[in-house]
Amino acid sequence: MIASGGLSLYRRVTGLVAAVMAVTGIGLGVVAASYARGAADDAYDRLMVAAALQIAESVYTQDGRLLADPPFSAFETLALAPDDRVFYAVAGPDGAVLTGYDDLPGAVRVDPAGAGSAVGNGTFRGVPVRVAAARRYIPDAATPGWVRVALAQTNEARGALARDLTVKALALLAVMMLLGFLAALVAVRLALAPLARVERTMCERDPKDLAPLAIETPREIGALVGAINGFTTRLSRHQAVLQRFVAEASHQIRTPLAALSSQVEMLAWSETGTGPEAEERRARLTRIRARTRELARLTNQLLDHAMVSHRIESVPFSPVDLSELGRQVLRDAASSAVGSLSAPPDLDLAFEGPEAPVMVLGDAISLREALGNLVGNALKHGARARLEIAVRDLGGVGEIAVIDDGPGIPPEDRERVTRPFEGGPGRGERGEGAQKGAGLGLSIASDVVAAHGGRLAFVTLADGRFAVTLTIPAAAAPARAA
Amino acid sequence: MSASARLALLVLALLLGTGAARAIETHRFPAPGSAAVTLSLHAATDIAAMRPLIEDFQATRPDVAIVYTEYVTAELFERMRVACEGAGGVDLVLSSSVDQLLKLVNDGCAEKLGLATTGLPRWTRWRDELFGFTFEPAVIVYNRDAVRPEDVRRTRAELIDLLRADPERYAGRIGTYDVTSSGIGYLFSAYDARAGAVFGRVMEALGRARVVLSCCTTDILDALAAGRLAIGYNLLGSYAVAAVRAGAPLRVVIPRDYTLVLSRAIFVPKRAPHAEAARAFVAYLLSARGQARARETSFAFGFDGNTVPEADGPALPPASAILRPIEISPELLAIQDRAKRARLLGDWRSAVGAPVDAGAR
Amino acid sequence: MRILVVEDTTEVAESIVEGFRRIGHNVDWAQDGLTAEEILATQIYDLVVLDLNLPGRDGPALLKDYRGRGGTSPVLVLTARGAVDDRVRVLDLGADDYLVKPFDFRELEARARALLRRSAGEATNALVCGDVAIDRQARSVSVAGHPVEMTRRELMLLEILAARPGRVFSKDELLDRLFGLDESPSFNAVEQYVARVRRKLGASEVQIRTLRGLGYQLNPGQPNPGQPKPL
């Protein structure tokens, strides 16, 4: 049982790829956002530090007094973040604010000691700000010491830059992920292509072809093909074993049965005594002989049935000319009929068919057996003076009919007689109970035709003759010759 | 009413200076329709210049009444510093001292308006909070009678040469702002100083010619019109053109070496009681209709930089090489820096020498 | 008539030998293939009853060799194999008829009788079929002892049909054998010759039958009344 309701392999793999890509994408997005934030900070921090240093540079002394003159350029630099508010303060060594926002140095704590400048985050007047600080030593002041510059700027421009960078990175990421996903789809399809090839090969081959698959496959599905081949090999071996067994069994049954019936015959011949006892023995012998004959015939038909059934399931079909088949069967019948016990003397045999071959797809030997059975039946039970095989090309189907001038099979029995062991006394009886197994012949023919996708039918012709017709699908157009 | 009387009135009305004596005045503009909101507009711009704009705005918003309170710039600045600390009840703040406005906005005084996509140049707005709406070049003004046409100079270097060639001819007849008392004067001189070394020589030449210093544009234009002064330096072009239109015998020259351009600005304070109507007023000032109305009535120049018949000078398109806009940006914080101001004023004083009040003559 | 029975199963062989002897035939029995081969190399029989499964030498091989060497005696094959294709193969190898074991003895007798009637006197130049005797050397024919005049081609046709009584010869096959490559007989030449031969055989028990669509067949007719009745 194949669980075909499961998710398709393709969908499963692409789903997995999509999931992995989604997780990766989210992760990369977070990283990109953080990186963009860092890059924006870095860019604007440089500007702020530059501005702070410029302001620190502008501090000078005049008459020992410390003076500041924040240059335009410092503010121009800061104005590169066009819409951000700017706060600054310049504080002398004593902590007194020389200019700018008096409350700024107390509000932010970024210590420029050491490097000469530093950046950090803070809050000023309730607004989150980035803070840059710079210091400069003034040696010629009244009290020499460090001048400190604190510079604070709101985060709008750097936020916008970070957002812009993030959006661009995400867009790029999305495009790449999409391309990657599409590539993955293609790759998965390509990877699964060999499976489709195996499937196609399996579908296209003749169901009876049990040879190993001979197609190039990647290593990964080699095991699958190997398993299929292993299975078909086992099946094929199993079939061969079964076939040998049937043949062997057939032989094993036939030989002793032949010996038995031979001995019974001899016994009957040698019983020549007279008197009541001898009469009684003879009567018993006659019954034994009849039973033995019946057993022999039945065995033959059963084995035939088995062999034919087995054969049509395992032999590949090939084009067969129905006309040629019909002639052959009729010639065999003509030869046999000459000496046959059951054939009426002076039987008129005839073949009717077109000059051109009537090609059907099938197993010639099984068909010959089936037809032979029909002819045999007709000879034994039907034909009085005439037996004909007629072939017709019906376009798409070939028809072969065995026609005799006998009584035929009554319509009510027709369906039944094609079933094994129900041949029954439907037809004109000749000889003792010989018709018991006649149905097996029809049954075999019916099975063979069914295996060919065809049909067996009984027809009473306009002139009163009786026909058994076999219709079989025509061989495919030669154009499709593989 | 005589032409000179009208001029006097107009110049008085257009007064922008930081004269400490100027008192607060209040003007009411009742709503043409049924009043729904009353906007409180605090301005350091004369009511006469703004009236046509206010009335035109009310034509589009009949439900708005406006109370116009007029200050001198310094007072407005101080008033607003206080107002920003708490609830000031102010809906609009308007001034030509854009450095002061920028300082207020930088300190968190203003509301964002969502008007960042107007047609005006980028330098006229900051943070979507502070919007410049006028285009006002700084010009040199000559009295037609006192200055021979061949003496009219169109660059600062030429002006210096004129003054050097004949120092006595214009001695005591050149006027400019007293930057210690005029916000506009300080702003212009600071940007002149930034623009290049030539300004130092201008100051020196003015000082040698015993420049007459004045607190206010009105006073200088008045003296020029009356012939007491021959040349006025760095005056607001829009006022000068208004004076010419009012009949004063003045020649307005836009300097050809470089031209400073100021944009009068406005913002809506945080916690403004009628923010929506206030925003609508700002939007009106920035709109094509508001701009056209302003050029017709009060502020002759437009952002396209096209020439004005009353002014002698080149067009100032946005790409012009000589255009030096006073950008509404954090740069103005440098102007507002107290240490820088102290140094600039010191430099100015030492170059110009002792101030002389034109009005005192 | 001389009959050779080649059969390794004693019980079967016994009854066949007994059965044929009872109806007056002279029967030899070979129990294995090698023996049969030796006997057939030197003796001529009117009928060979051959079992396919034999020790020593296999039946099909034996049959093939026999036909290969030119042996013409009718061969009736007995087989226990019964696979469908085996039967076809046996006929193709040169057997004249076959029976599958176990067989009905009456059927065996009937088939044997038919084959015996086809039997031609191989040793002599006489070809006898029913009451028709053909002397190949003298090129003469007699029916029930009475000579019948026949042309060369009529005799040739009768000879072809009588050599394999019961076999169906197609019209094309007869045409090929009666006429040389350089002759161009008319389309119905065969029918004409068959009609003449038929007429000349007259009241003979031997008949030439027409099988429509297939060809012609010589039917040896009913057994002579003088022969022993089968059981």
Side-chain angles (χ1 to χ4, degrees), chain A residues 60 67-73 75-76 78-79 81-88 90 97-102 125 153-154 156, chain B residues 103 105-109 112 122 125-129 190-191 194 270 329-340 343-344:
Chain A
Y60 63 101
L67 297 170
D69 183 14
F72 274 108
S73 61
F75 291 94
E76 275 182 84
L78 292 171
D83 280 337
D84 276 307
R85 293 159 65 185
V86 172
F87 312 102
Y88 66 97
V90 182
V97 172
L98 300 178
T99 188
Y101 286 79
D102 294 326
R125 296 188 178 181
Q153 196 171 23
T154 51
E156 289 181 26
Chain B
K103 179 82 163 66
V105 172
N106 191 56
D107 290 354
C109 204
K112 284 197 190 301
R122 178 69 181 87
R125 58 181 182 269
W126 192 53
R127 290 178 59 75
D128 191 28
E129 294 174 0
Y191 269 82
R194 184 191 174 192
K270 276 203 160 59
S329 86
E331 285 173 39
L332 290 172
L333 290 173
I335 307 289
Q336 276 288 306
D337 183 78
R338 62 180 188 251
K340 191 175 203 67
R343 189 183 69 76
L344 283 174

Side-chain angles (χ1 to χ4, degrees), chain A residues 266-350:
Chain A
M266 283 190 27
L267 199 59
W269 295 332
S270 62
E271 181 53 60
T272 53
T274 51
E277 282 184 18
E279 281 301 322
E280 197 181 327
R281 264 204 306 280
R282 218 184 335 270
R284 286 209 180 111
L285 264 174
T286 304
R287 283 203 294 279
I288 289 172
R289 193 159 62 158
R291 286 293 172 205
T292 308
R293 284 172 182 159
E294 198 183 317
L295 176 62
R297 194 186 55 252
L298 205 57
T299 303
N300 274 340
Q301 286 192 324
L302 273 175
L303 289 173
D304 282 355
H305 196 257
M307 296 295 265
V308 169
S309 299
H310 190 73
R311 183 182 172 84
I312 53 181
E313 274 167 21
S314 59
V315 174
F317 289 170
S318 53
V320 176
D321 178 7
L322 278 187
S323 291
E324 180 55 35
L325 188 74
R327 285 196 197 93
Q328 200 168 27
V329 170
L330 205 55
R331 273 200 293 269
D332 290 348
S335 303
S336 288
V338 168
S340 170
L341 274 182
S342 47
D346 301 324
L347 185 69
D348 184 14
L349 295 176

Side-chain angles (χ1 to χ4, degrees), chain B residues 234-247:
Chain B
N234 253 5
L235 305 182
L236 270 176
S238 49
Y239 287 71
V241 168
V244 171
R245 283 177 182 171

Side-chain angles (χ1 to χ4, degrees), chain B residues 195-265:
Chain B
V198 73
F199 181 63
R201 293 194 285 127
V202 170
M203 283 295 106
E204 189 194 347
L206 289 179
R208 217 178 297 132
R210 281 177 278 131
V211 67
V212 178
L213 300 176
S214 183
C215 71
C216 314
T217 314
T218 327
D219 294 356
I220 301 169
L221 285 174
D222 217 10
L224 278 166
R228 276 176 279 132
L229 291 176
I231 304 172
Y233 179 73
N234 253 5
L235 305 182
L236 270 176
S238 49
Y239 287 71
V241 168
V244 171
R245 283 177 182 171
L250 302 177
R251 179 190 294 272
V252 178
V253 171
I254 296 170
R256 281 167 171 72
D257 48 354
Y258 66 86
T259 307
L260 298 177
V261 173
L262 173 81
S263 189
R264 206 171 294 259

Side-chain angles (χ1 to χ4, degrees), chain C residues 115-193:
Chain C
L115 290 176
L116 282 170
R117 258 181 281 131
R118 300 180 193 175
S119 180
E122 297 288 339
T124 66
N125 282 316
L127 181 62
V128 180
C129 183
D131 56 0
V132 175
I134 304 169
D135 187 335
R136 285 166 173 170
Q137 199 161 28
R139 313 297 306 157
S140 66
V141 182
S142 67
V143 176
H146 305 289
V148 175
E149 284 299 314
M150 283 199 186
T151 66
R152 190 177 65 82
R153 276 220 172 83
E154 287 165 4
L155 182 66
M156 203 189 293
L157 174 64
L158 183 61
E159 221 179 310
I160 292 168
L161 295 174
R164 300 291 302 278
R167 177 162 179 249
V168 179
F169 293 89
S170 73
K171 208 189 279 184
D172 287 345
E173 194 179 351
L174 293 175
L175 211 60
D176 285 349
R177 290 177 68 167
L178 284 176
F179 301 94
L181 284 176
D182 49 345
E183 293 171 287
S184 47
S186 63
F187 181 72
N188 57 358
V190 173
E191 286 168 36
Q192 289 169 4
Y193 280 106

Side-chain angles (χ1 to χ4, degrees), chain C residues 15-29:
Chain C
S15 80
I16 296 172
V17 171
E18 173 69 16
F20 281 137
R21 281 189 180 146
R22 277 166 51 82
I23 53 177
H25 294 300
N26 187 359
V27 188
D28 292 337
W29 172 30

Side-chain angles (χ1 to χ4, degrees), chain A residues 136-183:
Chain A
R136 179 172 163 233
Y137 190 73
I138 306 292
D140 54 350
T143 47
W146 292 97
V147 169
R148 288 161 190 270
V149 174
L151 193 57
Q153 196 171 23
T154 51
N155 293 324
E156 289 181 26
R158 66 182 64 212
L161 178 60
R163 272 193 301 281
D164 188 46
L165 288 176
T166 306
V167 165
K168 281 177 178 154
L170 289 181
L172 196 65
L173 193 63
V175 168
M176 284 173 61
M177 304 271 289
L178 187 67
L179 288 178
F181 185 66
L182 291 177

Side-chain angles (χ1 to χ4, degrees), chain B residues 65-95:
Chain B
I66 293 178
V67 176
Y68 188 94
T69 309
E70 188 182 341
Y71 299 82
V72 295
T73 54
E75 283 172 5
L76 176 65
F77 185 45
E78 287 310 315
R79 170 86 172 79
M80 286 318 298
R81 285 174 84 121
V82 175
C84 275
E85 301 296 317
V90 179
D91 291 310
L92 289 156
V93 179
L94 191 160
S95 173

